[in-house]
Amino acid sequence: MPLAVGWAALLAVALIETLPDGPGAWVPAVLVVTGVVGGPLLALLLTVQRRRVDRTVGRLFPVGSRIDVQLRPDGLWIENHGGGSLVRYGRIAAVRAVDGVVEVRTGHPRVMRLVPAALLTDHHLAEIRAAAAAAQRARAGPRRPGP
């Protein structure tokens, strides 16, 4: 990485030295330097993030481990090597798929359960969200009209 930064700095100095005077000449030089430095830096950051996510998912769900997810009438059943638990739809605050993992967040208490994204399709996620919204509306009860 330091070598790439050194080459980028050398390129920037070379561009600045060859520019004619005037503010209009700086715009292309700034764009080129931004692309030369920013492009590889962005690629490096994305690669590091992807590897970090892969390691985390590998630790949470080791190869060969058994994970079961069932959409039941009363909630989402999640079972893994550590046991199973039922997350009632009324307690689900958010469901989202991120980097190969589905996050199921509950509101009270605040807990996040992770499930491999391969086990739940987009249709399943929509079902969970709809059931959670319906359970929360039912729990809130009917609204009384204001005075």
Side-chain angles (χ1 to χ4, degrees):
M1 181 68 183
L3 184 63
V5 172
W7 280 108
L10 183 63
L11 178 65
V13 169
L15 279 172
I16 290 171
E17 290 297 321
T18 60
L19 285 177
D21 292 338
W26 286 92
V27 173
V30 168
L31 292 176
V32 168
V33 169
T34 302
V36 167
V37 173
L41 185 62
L42 180 63
L44 176 70
L45 291 174
L46 291 174
T47 302
V48 168
Q49 177 65 17
R50 181 81 230 161
R51 287 183 182 163
R52 186 180 317 154
V53 167
D54 289 345
R55 278 194 312 268
T56 302
V57 170
R59 268 196 318 270
L60 291 172
F61 310 112
V63 175
S65 62
R66 183 181 155 275
I67 299 168
D68 186 31
V69 178
Q70 298 174 7
L71 277 66
R72 294 185 174 176
D74 54 344
L76 182 67
W77 176 257
I78 303 172
E79 185 176 354
N80 59 23
H81 61 280
S85 64
L86 180 70
V87 181
R88 299 203 181 274
Y89 291 124
R91 300 182 72 197
I92 294 176
V95 177
R96 69 181 195 149
V98 180
D99 292 325
V101 176
V102 173
E103 296 176 354
V104 179
R105 294 179 185 262
T106 60
H108 303 289
R110 289 187 180 266
V111 177
M112 181 173 53
R113 312 256 162 115
L114 300 177
V115 177
L119 296 178
L120 296 170
T121 64
D122 290 339
H123 175 72
H124 291 129
L125 297 179
E127 264 186 68
I128 294 168
R129 288 182 185 116
Q136 289 172 357
R137 280 193 304 271
R139 188 177 64 193
R143 289 189 163 192
R144 290 181 284 160

